[in-house]
């Protein structure tokens, strides 16, 4: 059986350097059974969404933040941390693979063989030219709608961390604060914080040294 392809390419991009590829006509059951588990492949109400390969810097940032979060969260017994392509199932028919997400201790029983069906404490996406609009708009709306209490978008291309926190009105979009430097505290994870400038250093700082700063603040 044939299928249609829809290439979603950001404005201003040249050729196929950055893209999201949508393949319609999939079921959620087929997604879990057949989607490759070694690549970022998400599912949005019948569409398979395939991402362009991530950059080395993207992978380095993911590993750096995931290590800091996992060490802190597990030490404080606040839950656990997963990285994409682990699946976050926000609802039936909507499955994302965030770069990093924190599972609260009280929801560890909602881990299933193929996904986490619950509400993370914190979601972190590392933006690329291909995903910048998707992360800042589409995913921000979805995470807000499904009760995610905090969402970070780290955009190394413009050296900015966008912290999304809920507004007082439960139906309003997130309040978004950009950080290029200075401390950024995670409100959903008590006591956890980073220096924004750590994310722009090349090479990235040593994780153990950063953890000492976090614990000693």
């Amino acid at each position: 059986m044939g299928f249609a392809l829809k290439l979603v390419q950001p404005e201003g991009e040249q050729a196929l350097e950055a893209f999201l590829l949508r393949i319609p006509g999939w079921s959620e059951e087929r997604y879990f059974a057949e989607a490759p588990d070694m690549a970022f492949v998400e599912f949005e109400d019948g569409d398979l969404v395939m991402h362009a390969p991530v950059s080395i810097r993207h992978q380095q940032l993911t590993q750096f933040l995931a290590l800091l979060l996992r060490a802190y969260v597990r030490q404080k017994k606040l839950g656990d941390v997963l990285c994409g392509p682990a699946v976050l199932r926000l609802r039936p028919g909507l499955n994302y693979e965030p770069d990093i997400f924190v599972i609260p201790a009280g929801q560890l029983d909602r881990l299933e063989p193929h996904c986490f069906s619950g509400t993370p404490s914190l979601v972190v996406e590392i933006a690329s030219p291909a995903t910048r609009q998707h992360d800042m708009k589409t995913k921000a709306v979805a995470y807000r709608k499904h009760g995610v209490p905090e969402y970070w978008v780290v955009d190394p291309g413009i050296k900015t961390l966008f912290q999304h926190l809920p507004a007082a009105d439960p139906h309003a979009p997130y309040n978004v604060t950009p950080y290029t430097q200075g401390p950024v505290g995670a409100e959903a994870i008590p006591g956890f914080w980073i220096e924004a400038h750590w994310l722009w250093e090349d090479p990235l700082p040593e994780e153990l040294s950063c953890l000492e700063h976090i614990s000693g603040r």
Side-chain angles (χ1 to χ4, degrees), residues 34-53:
E34 299 183 23
D37 58 7
M38 296 302 290
F40 283 87
V41 182
E42 300 178 321
F43 183 80
E44 294 180 340
D45 296 316
D47 282 359
L48 203 68
V49 182
M50 302 185 71
H51 293 244

Side-chain angles (χ1 to χ4, degrees), residues 47-104:
D47 282 359
L48 203 68
V49 182
M50 302 185 71
H51 293 244
V54 301
S55 68
I56 296 299
R57 185 63 176 182
H58 182 289
Q59 186 71 357
Q60 290 170 336
L61 282 167
T62 300
Q63 291 176 349
F64 174 73
L65 282 171
L67 192 153
L68 297 183
L69 279 163
R70 184 175 173 82
Y72 184 89
V73 165
R74 288 175 65 84
Q75 180 188 33
K76 302 294 184 181
K77 301 188 183 335
L78 298 175
D80 205 352
V81 176
L82 293 180
C83 296
V87 177
L88 167 60
R89 190 175 191 240
L90 292 172
R91 61 164 170 78
L94 185 59
N95 298 274
Y96 286 148
E97 297 183 354
D99 289 307
I100 305 167
F101 56 104
V102 180
I103 300 172

Side-chain angles (χ1 to χ4, degrees), residues 7-201:
L7 186 64
V8 181
Q9 195 166 331
E11 283 187 34
E13 291 298 326
Q14 298 294 320
L16 299 183
E17 294 173 359
F19 64 85
L20 294 177
L21 184 67
R22 288 185 175 272
I23 307 175
W26 280 58
S27 67
E28 190 173 46
E29 292 75 18
R30 185 184 175 194
Y31 164 72
F32 281 115
E34 299 183 23
D37 58 7
M38 296 302 290
F40 283 87
V41 182
E42 300 178 321
F43 183 80
E44 294 180 340
D45 296 316
D47 282 359
L48 203 68
V49 182
M50 302 185 71
H51 293 244
V54 301
S55 68
I56 296 299
R57 185 63 176 182
H58 182 289
Q59 186 71 357
Q60 290 170 336
L61 282 167
T62 300
Q63 291 176 349
F64 174 73
L65 282 171
L67 192 153
L68 297 183
L69 279 163
R70 184 175 173 82
Y72 184 89
V73 165
R74 288 175 65 84
Q75 180 188 33
K76 302 294 184 181
K77 301 188 183 335
L78 298 175
D80 205 352
V81 176
L82 293 180
C83 296
V87 177
L88 167 60
R89 190 175 191 240
L90 292 172
R91 61 164 170 78
L94 185 59
N95 298 274
Y96 286 148
E97 297 183 354
D99 289 307
I100 305 167
F101 56 104
V102 180
I103 300 172
Q107 295 189 47
L108 290 173
D109 60 347
R110 303 193 69 175
L111 278 166
E112 302 174 18
H114 297 294
C115 65
F116 169 64
S117 294
T119 306
S121 303
L122 172 68
V123 173
V124 180
E125 298 281 10
I126 312 299
S128 68
T131 65
R132 185 173 287 131
Q133 294 300 310
H134 193 60
D135 292 338
M136 289 294 293
K137 294 183 178 180
T138 305
K139 285 190 170 182
V141 170
Y143 291 142
R144 175 67 170 132
K145 181 178 180 180
H146 292 89
V148 176
E150 187 162 357
Y151 174 42
W152 289 8
V153 176
V154 176
D155 194 329
I158 56 174
K159 295 185 177 180
T160 305
L161 185 160
F162 296 93
Q163 183 182 41
H164 297 64
L165 293 170
D169 180 351
H171 302 292
Y174 284 119
N175 289 324
V176 183
T177 304
Y179 293 89
T180 57
Q181 59 184 351
V184 184
E187 293 194 7
I189 304 176
F192 183 82
W193 65 280
I194 66 167
E195 288 283 352
H197 72 81
W198 290 346
L199 304 173
W200 325 133
E201 293 183 16

